[in-house]
Amino acid sequence: MTGYERIPGLIGEIEDRGETTVVVEKERLSEAALYLQGELGFNFLSDIAATDYLGWGGETAGSWGSADGRDLNVPYTLGLALVPEPKPKRFSVSYHLLALRADPVRLRLQTWLDEGEPVASVVSVWPVADWLEREVYDLMGIVFEGHPNLVRVLMPDDWEGHPLRKDYPIGGEPVRFSGEE
Amino acid sequence: MAAVSDSVFTGPVLYEGTRIPSPVPSWVQVDPARLEDGNVLEVNFGPNHPSTHGVLRLVVDLDGEEIVGMRAVVGYLHTGFEKSMEQKSWWKAINYPSRIDYLSSFQNELLFVLAIEKLLGIEVPAKATWIRTALSELNRIHSHLVWLGTMGLELGVQSIYFYCFDQRERVLDLFEMVTGVRVHGRYCQAGGLAEDIPPGFVPDARSFCRGLPKAIDEYVHMTEKNKIWLKRTKGIGVVSAEDAIRLGLSGPVLRGSGVNWDLRKREPYLFYDQVDFEVPVYDDGDSYARARVRIDEMRQSLRIAEQCLDRIEELAGDPWISDDRKVVLPPREELQTSMESLIHHFKLVTEGYRVPAGEVYVAIESSRGEQGCYLVSDGGSNPWRVHFRAPSFPSIAAAPTLCQEHLIADLIAISASLDTLLGDCDR
């Protein structure tokens, strides 16, 4: 009825707290984007948000993520009684879509990636994705194939690493002192 | 599939086709033919320039005074709020959002708390929601006053700045009365508010509401009858409804292009479905239309605030925060007498509350447009991921589209009329 079941590459549809998420195969993301924009009228791309799930669930759940996961001895990260649902891959990329019309509909289009896997750019579908994808690339290190100008946007051009990744060291900013060679 | 109704669009077609540059939508590239005669000069406008509302750098290619190429460079105010918030417990993280968009600080704080509440599924008392609605509108007035004052300053209509800041002080006084500080109040808590409004707030707020319409009349007089204002804004920086939507523009910018779109009406949150107000929409898509939208919006915000004050008075004595002890701090006086309360207090202060696992996206109509918050929780006491959808970010990316074929002086008027805030953009 909603037309979501005909989205190309659809893996699943999730309803949670009144929000609908459709998960699609990453290979068919641009097809899915075109279908949602052209056929279902999702003309407004609000936001693109990527999440790093490294260390998600089990013993390593928590916020003090590192390459080795979480240290249970760090204060305030008490062992969790509830283990969250495992995630299929390391990164999720969520496109928050809005059908801007008299009967508005919101939808989260989601795709999953492992480290080093690129995803197709949607700049040709929604021009606003230009900077949104640059931000995700900058802070999360996800490469958008076909983006016309994929360079850093918030961090300096010569920055190393992608700060929002869970294995990015906290407080790890190199400090240059005067008088240093 | 429901029929696509286009009743949100009110205006005429401003221009055929699209003006969004290609292949990079945020970058107007110089026509190679123009480069050959050697007249094109690349100029850095900013990052430190008084009219950029923060630290924005615009790289402008000029042929004489005409803009033939342009791109924006941002990130100078990037502070890593999203990363910092992941390291804090949920209730400590509430401190951060108000620093992101520091002019609509209350709305940002509210947005983050609304998102936490959506994850928690917690009920908020009616009085708290009415106070939130009232403060949210006062915050909108505050932000629009700062915008109007600084836009006047940049366009050479300087006197309006002092008039606006006079009223802005009075809004800040109200915030100081309620939260104790003028800007970064940290007044919202998951489940309600940190404290009840102090006695005397409602009469003071009413006296402010009585005085402001006259002040707005003065602002209208100073802009509508000022040749400088009119000549520098009318027909400048036109963007069609279709292009505005494709560029992700929202809020007053979208409503200035003839799109009747306001989240307070279309996807009501708080108690916006229980108050009477209108959504000002102008069709011309230029800087003047965007300015008119904001000036008219201040009057509507006043209308909403006055209705909220009535309801707050009716609900005097009601609780301002939920009594869910797993989320909300127990009343201070109980700590002396109840062991249970002491334990809850200790747990909440040291570890914080746990938020059920899940992901949500909440959007509100902030002063600048659609302010969104995407949260992921793993069920622990810290957020797993926090992301803010900043309305200024797409606005600055869209500035080159609006500025092409204009003169360098128009650049100032256009960037001011977009009402971008670099703290919001860079996060």
Side-chain angles (χ1 to χ4, degrees), chain B residues 271-288:
Chain B
F271 282 149
Y272 284 114
D273 50 349
Q274 298 182 34
V275 288
D276 286 332
F277 68 103
E278 280 151 32
V279 178
V281 181
Y282 285 81
D283 296 338
D284 298 333
D286 55 2
S287 300
Y288 177 75

Side-chain angles (χ1 to χ4, degrees), chain A residues 91-131:
Chain A
F91 294 106
S92 78
V93 184
S94 303
Y95 300 75
H96 292 103
L97 305 176
L98 166 68
L100 197 152
R101 57 186 187 218
D103 52 335
V105 185
R106 280 192 190 268
L107 181 71
R108 181 183 298 120
L109 172 69
Q110 199 167 58
T111 190
W112 290 83
L113 314 165
D114 267 327
E115 191 176 353
E117 285 185 336
V119 64
S121 166
V122 295
V123 174
S124 54
V125 186
W126 296 287
V128 59
D130 177 1
W131 275 27

Side-chain angles (χ1 to χ4, degrees), chain B residues 103 138-147 149 160-179 181-183 201 204-205 207-209 212 215 219 298:
Chain B
L103 289 182
L138 289 174
N139 196 196
R140 191 181 315 275
I141 294 170
H142 163 249
S143 173
H144 285 355
L145 284 170
V146 174
W147 157 80
I160 198 169
Y161 177 80
F162 302 101
Y163 286 80
C164 287
F165 270 57
D166 174 39
Q167 290 298 320
R168 176 200 182 226
E169 282 304 303
R170 303 198 56 200
V171 187
L172 289 181
D173 287 346
L174 290 175
F175 270 91
E176 187 176 4
M177 191 172 183
V178 177
T179 67
V181 282
R182 290 157 62 77
V183 181
F201 170 75
D204 276 23
S207 109
F208 168 74
C209 290
L212 190 66
Y219 308 148
M298 285 197 268

Side-chain angles (χ1 to χ4, degrees), chain A residues 57-160:
Chain A
E59 284 196 329
T60 52
S63 60
W64 294 88
S66 66
D68 309 322
R70 188 177 66 156
D71 181 356
L72 283 174
N73 294 317
V74 172
Y76 315 138
T77 54
L78 306 174
L80 295 173
L82 292 167
V83 178
E85 289 279 310
K87 300 292 177 185
K89 285 182 172 182
R90 180 173 169 183
F91 294 106
S92 78
V93 184
S94 303
Y95 300 75
H96 292 103
L97 305 176
L98 166 68
L100 197 152
R101 57 186 187 218
D103 52 335
V105 185
R106 280 192 190 268
L107 181 71
R108 181 183 298 120
L109 172 69
Q110 199 167 58
T111 190
W112 290 83
L113 314 165
D114 267 327
E115 191 176 353
E117 285 185 336
V119 64
S121 166
V122 295
V123 174
S124 54
V125 186
W126 296 287
V128 59
D130 177 1
W131 275 27
L132 297 176
E133 285 180 353
R134 277 174 70 186
E135 184 193 333
V136 173
Y137 162 72
D138 188 357
L139 302 179
M140 211 53 108
I142 290 166
V143 173
F144 292 88
E145 274 182 337
H147 189 290
N149 183 30
L150 195 66
V151 292
R152 287 186 183 274
V153 61
L154 294 180
M155 304 299 284
D157 289 339
D158 56 353
W159 195 263
E160 283 176 22

Side-chain angles (χ1 to χ4, degrees), chain A residues 17 19 44 46-47 50 52 56 62-63 78 106 110 128 130-131 135 153 155 163 165-166 170, chain B residues 26 74-75 78 83 86-87 118-119 246 249 267 351 359 361 370 377-378 382 384-385 387 389 427:
Chain A
R17 296 176 171 93
E19 294 180 19
F44 191 91
S46 287
D47 191 27
D52 183 359
W56 171 268
S63 60
L78 306 174
R106 280 192 190 268
Q110 199 167 58
V128 59
D130 177 1
W131 275 27
E135 184 193 333
V153 61
M155 304 299 284
R165 288 189 170 196
K166 291 285 179 186
I170 298 161
Chain B
S26 63
V74 297
H78 179 62
K83 185 77 175 174
E86 287 175 13
Q87 320 307 325
K118 191 169 181 185
L119 277 169
R246 295 179 70 209
L249 299 174
E267 296 177 336
E351 190 196 334
E359 54 186 323
Y361 177 80
E370 176 175 330
S377 173
D378 64 345
N382 294 20
W384 180 267
R385 174 85 168 99
H387 178 74
R389 190 263 181 205
R427 283 155 284 152

Side-chain angles (χ1 to χ4, degrees), chain B residues 336-358:
Chain B
Q336 321 293 342
T337 52
S338 160
M339 189 67 188
E340 189 88 339
S341 292
L342 193 63
I343 293 169
H344 275 135
H345 186 274
F346 181 75
K347 286 275 281 180
L348 285 174
V349 172
T350 53
E351 190 196 334
Y353 43 81
R354 302 259 174 100
V355 171

